[in-house]
């Protein structure tokens, strides 16, 4: 879990399923290693407990895509079964040390470091609820000495590097560098059903320039091919959470052929995504292409607020009404429409009406002075920024409606509706469970192929009958340049489409999951 990084994307914590291992890893007749997992029913206390962590989600996601991280000097195939946490977290078991000390970790393609709690974690309550690595119990432990400090929006995981053998299924990765976490502040880690993170991203985003576990698997010739793949079981009632396969793909996990796209920027598994469609109609938002990341550590699909608000409007999701957005429409809506009709470049509209200090090419001095004035307080700066953001979103929405030859009145009414649907950044937006049949199909274009998501696939359902709640699988995350506009295709997408991470050919592949 989404967040550069030190490698964590905390999924949206809606409720908790407590899961337990049933039996040790065993080798099947086909030569593949499987770890059987099961789970027990959700309880309301644990579900309520996780709601305290929602305030931290935005900050933890932000660290994934821009908040600083730092380090200071002082068989052929392997299959790992995954636990399914309300279709919102998938994690499995590894061992560290000799003999192996067991930990459950999220296999996270959006980060590159391995970390688990340390026996030296004395002052973080979270460490008392999770197993801790004890170096004195391992005959293969090697002292490293570097300290690691991974920063998040709401805190930091601090610790130090150590080296030891890491057991993943039947594989033993020797002399692996990992972080022993000595501080895990916040309720997120306290209520989490995982102990640590095993990053599967590129070395470019590895904290401390540590060699990722995946790289050592390849270097130590533990697997047949430099490929790993994910299959997520989206049936929350099923005890089987899915599998990650190292060294190849399992043909039983997908249907048809994979569509492959090249990695455009190493670090995350980033690629170019095409248009975003709602019921086969272009939203215009990604008509020129957007960047996207396949991220197993993020529960939902995260995208720019402008686009997510439009999706949530179309599916009837109830987000947080933005007063700034409505104020922009009320005070400047007609002026924005007029400027667009006069062929004013969209990135210059908001600066021309005085709401933004940037016109797409350079700063606008009069506004900069009012925003950056030494006498201006922080709240004034925040309000200016909020109005600017709202204006920029309104421009995109209004331009799309003008292209559809809508009337001025129709455009203003439509944009006001979108303002009502603005999602809570990194929070949940609910939908009517009884309205799924009437909700549209949301589609992403990847490699000239359209990948559809039905309402049942892009919503998360909690509970049954009259007490059931349905959550939108889309959440807002505005990633600043140069990476933005960026989409994070998390478990909601990867659960529908089997995903192959081809390290050898630097590409990502998608096919319908079986």
């Amino acid at each position: 879990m989404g967040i550069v990084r030190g490698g964590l994307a905390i999924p949206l914590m809606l409720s908790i399923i407590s899961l337990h291992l049933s039996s040790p890893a065993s080798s099947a007749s086909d030569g593949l290693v499987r770890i059987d997992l099961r789970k027990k029913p959700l309880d309301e206390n644990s579900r309520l407990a996780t709601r305290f962590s929602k305030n931290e989600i935005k900050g933890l996601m932000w660290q994934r895509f821009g908040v600083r991280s730092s380090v200071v000097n002082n068989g052929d195939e392997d299959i790992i079964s995954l636990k399914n946490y309300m279709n919102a977290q998938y994690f499995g078991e590894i061992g560290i040390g000799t003999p192996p000390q067991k930990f459950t970790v999220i296999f996270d393609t959006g980060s590159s470091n391995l970390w688990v709690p340390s026996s030296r974690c004395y002052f973080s309550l979270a460490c008392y609820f999770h197993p801790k690595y004890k170096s004195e119990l391992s005959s293969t432990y090697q002292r490293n000495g570097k300290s690691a400090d991974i920063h998040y929006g709401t805190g930091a995981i601090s610790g130090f590097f150590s080296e030891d053998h890491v057991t993943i299924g039947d594989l033993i990765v020797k002399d692996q560098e990992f972080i022993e976490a000595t501080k895990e502040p916040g309720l997120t880690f306290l209520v989490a059903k995982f102990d640590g993170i095993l990053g599967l991203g590129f070395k470019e985003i590895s904290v401390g320039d540590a060699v990722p576990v995946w790289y050592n698997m390849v270097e130590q010739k533990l697997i047949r091919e430099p490929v790993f793949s994910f299959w997520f079981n989206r049936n929350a009632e099923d005890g089987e959470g899915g599998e990650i396969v190292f060294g190849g793909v399992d043909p039983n996990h997908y249907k048809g052929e994979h569509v492959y796209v090249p990695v455009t920027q190493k670090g995350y598994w980033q690629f170019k995504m095409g248009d975003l469609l709602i019921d086969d109609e272009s939203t215009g938002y990604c008509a020129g292409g957007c960047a996207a990341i396949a991220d197993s550590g993020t529960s939902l699909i995260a995208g720019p607020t402008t686009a997510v608000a439009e999706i949530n409007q179309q599916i009837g999701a109830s987000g947080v009404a933005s007063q700034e957005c409505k104020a922009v429409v009320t005070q400047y809506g007609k002026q924005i429409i007029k400027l667009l009709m006069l062929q004013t470049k969209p990135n210059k509209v908001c600066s021309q009406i005085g709401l933004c200090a940037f016109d797409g090419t350079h700063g606008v001095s009069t506004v900069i002075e009012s925003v950056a004035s030494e006498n201006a307080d922080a709240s004034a700066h925040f309000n200016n920024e909020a109005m600017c953001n709202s204006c920029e979103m309104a421009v995109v929405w209004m331009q799309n409606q003008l292209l559809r030859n809508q009337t001025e009145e129709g455009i203003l009414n439509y944009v006001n509706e979108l303002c009502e649907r603005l999602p809570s950044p990194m929070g949940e937006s609910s939908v009517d469970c009884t309205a799924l049949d009437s909700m549209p199909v949301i589609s992403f274009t990847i490699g000239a192929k359209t990948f559809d998501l039905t309402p049942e696939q892009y919503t998360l359902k909690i509970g049954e009958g009259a007490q059931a709640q349905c959550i939108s699988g889309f959440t807002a995350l505005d990633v600043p340049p140069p990476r933005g506009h960026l989409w994070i295709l998390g478990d909601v997408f990867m659960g529908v489409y089997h995903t192959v991470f081809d390290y050898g050919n630097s590409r990502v592949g998608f096919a319908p999951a079986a």
Side-chain angles (χ1 to χ4, degrees):
M1 343 257 133
I3 58 59
V4 171
R5 20 207 320 135
L8 174 65
I10 300 296
L12 181 66
M13 292 192 172
L14 305 175
S15 32
I16 285 182
I17 289 183
S18 183
L19 307 165
H20 296 278
L21 289 170
S22 59
S23 61
S26 60
S27 296
S29 58
D30 58 5
L32 304 179
V33 178
R34 290 177 172 84
I35 302 172
D36 296 325
L37 303 170
R38 58 194 175 117
K39 60 191 175 186
K40 68 179 184 180
L42 166 71
D43 68 82
E44 186 62 23
N45 288 335
S46 60
R47 191 178 155 190
L48 289 173
T50 53
R51 293 190 178 275
F52 287 106
S53 68
K54 289 180 182 176
N55 291 332
E56 298 183 342
I57 293 173
K58 181 179 180 181
L60 289 166
M61 286 287 288
W62 262 102
Q63 69 81 23
R64 178 181 283 276
F65 300 111
V67 178
R68 59 198 172 93
S69 60
S70 62
V71 173
V72 183
N73 289 324
N74 271 353
D76 286 343
E77 289 183 344
D78 198 49
I79 297 179
I80 302 300
S81 296
L82 303 174
K83 299 179 180 182
N84 182 354
Y85 162 68
M86 288 305 290
N87 288 346
Q89 278 184 26
Y90 293 85
F91 46 96
E93 186 184 71
I94 67 169
I96 302 180
T98 306
Q101 300 173 40
K102 303 296 185 179
F103 300 93
T104 56
V105 297
I106 290 178
F107 292 89
D108 179 20
T109 59
S111 67
S112 298
N113 289 89
L114 168 62
W115 68 263
V116 296
S118 171
S119 60
R120 297 188 186 181
C121 183
Y122 305 121
F123 303 109
S124 294
L125 186 60
C127 289
Y128 290 92
F129 291 87
H130 296 276
K132 296 180 284 292
Y133 171 76
K134 301 177 178 64
S135 59
E136 66 274 11
L137 299 182
S138 173
S139 64
T140 48
Y141 162 75
Q142 298 180 59
R143 186 179 183 277
N144 182 295
K146 290 187 300 184
S147 61
D149 196 13
I150 307 175
H151 292 263
Y152 303 101
T154 55
I157 291 177
S158 300
F160 58 91
F161 281 98
S162 292
E163 294 179 22
D164 209 332
H165 293 359
V166 175
T167 303
I168 303 175
D170 280 349
L171 304 181
I172 299 178
V173 183
K174 296 181 179 179
D175 303 322
Q176 175 62 48
E177 196 171 12
F178 68 100
I179 298 172
E180 291 191 47
T182 56
K183 291 183 180 179
E184 296 183 27
L187 286 169
T188 296
F189 302 110
L190 176 64
V191 300
K193 291 300 178 181
F194 58 89
D195 305 318
I197 303 293
L198 193 153
L200 293 170
F202 290 91
K203 187 177 179 180
E204 281 79 353
I205 58 171
S206 176
V207 169
D209 203 33
V211 177
V213 174
W214 166 248
Y215 282 51
N216 280 328
M217 280 189 190
V218 176
E219 180 67 25
Q220 296 175 22
K221 302 186 186 315
L222 300 178
I223 52 178
R224 181 179 60 197
E225 299 177 69
V227 173
F228 61 90
S229 53
F230 277 88
W231 170 67
F232 289 147
N233 184 0
R234 297 301 282 176
N235 183 358
E237 301 303 317
D238 195 334
E240 185 178 20
E243 289 180 343
I244 176 172
V245 178
F246 291 103
V249 298
D250 185 339
N252 294 319
H253 288 164
Y254 64 93
K255 297 174 288 187
E257 299 294 329
H258 287 86
V259 173
Y260 285 94
V261 287
V263 172
T264 55
Q265 185 170 345
K266 289 186 177 180
Y268 314 109
W269 290 85
Q270 183 171 325
F271 56 92
K272 184 176 181 180
M273 187 184 85
D275 204 358
L276 170 68
L277 310 173
I278 300 178
D279 266 348
D280 292 327
E281 186 172 354
S282 172
T283 61
Y285 193 81
C286 289
C290 286
I293 290 169
D295 189 352
S296 62
T298 296
S299 306
L300 307 182
I301 296 175
T305 301
T306 307
V308 172
E310 186 160 4
I311 291 173
N312 278 347
Q313 190 275 338
Q314 292 289 329
I315 69 177
S318 300
V320 175
S322 169
Q323 296 303 316
E324 292 86 359
C325 182
K326 286 192 161 189
V328 166
V329 176
T330 300
Q331 298 176 40
Y332 304 99
K334 293 183 178 180
Q335 188 177 354
I336 292 173
I337 292 173
K338 182 178 179 180
L339 287 171
L340 290 172
M341 293 180 69
L342 291 174
Q343 304 300 311
T344 303
K345 292 183 178 181
N347 61 355
K348 295 181 180 294
V349 169
C350 295
S351 62
Q352 286 198 20
I353 62 178
L355 290 180
C356 290
F358 191 74
D359 69 358
T361 58
H362 55 80
V364 182
S365 60
T366 56
V367 181
I368 288 178
E369 289 175 1
S370 66
V371 173
S373 169
E374 293 181 0
N375 296 324
D377 59 19
S379 62
H381 178 84
F382 174 82
N383 289 335
N384 282 328
E385 184 177 3
M387 293 291 279
C388 176
N389 291 338
S390 296
C391 177
E392 290 175 338
M393 286 190 291
V395 167
V396 174
W397 296 331
M398 291 179 180
Q399 184 182 35
N400 289 339
Q401 293 301 298
L402 283 171
L403 293 174
R404 297 174 186 175
N405 297 316
Q406 298 296 317
T407 65
E408 179 182 280
E409 182 181 3
I411 292 172
L412 294 175
N413 288 337
Y414 177 75
V415 174
N416 259 316
E417 289 182 13
L418 291 179
C419 288
E420 291 282 0
R421 302 295 184 181
L422 278 175
S424 303
M426 302 328 307
E428 65 184 45
S429 296
S430 62
V431 296
D432 184 357
C433 292
T434 64
L436 295 183
D437 290 342
S438 62
M439 287 161 56
V441 172
I442 309 298
S443 307
F444 296 88
T445 305
I446 301 172
K449 180 178 174 59
T450 300
F451 291 81
D452 296 334
L453 295 176
T454 65
E456 291 77 12
Q457 292 169 337
Y458 63 69
T459 56
L460 292 159
K461 188 175 182 180
I462 304 170
E464 296 295 335
Q467 301 302 317
Q469 298 178 29
C470 290
I471 306 299
S472 168
F474 298 94
T475 189
L477 179 66
D478 293 303
V479 178
R483 287 192 178 270
H485 302 293
L486 184 69
W487 286 84
I488 297 89
L489 303 184
D491 300 343
V492 166
F493 186 86
M494 290 176 61
V496 180
Y497 295 101
H498 178 262
T499 308
V500 177
F501 297 84
D502 188 341
Y503 175 77
N505 295 301
S506 191
R507 62 180 184 168
V508 185
F510 303 97

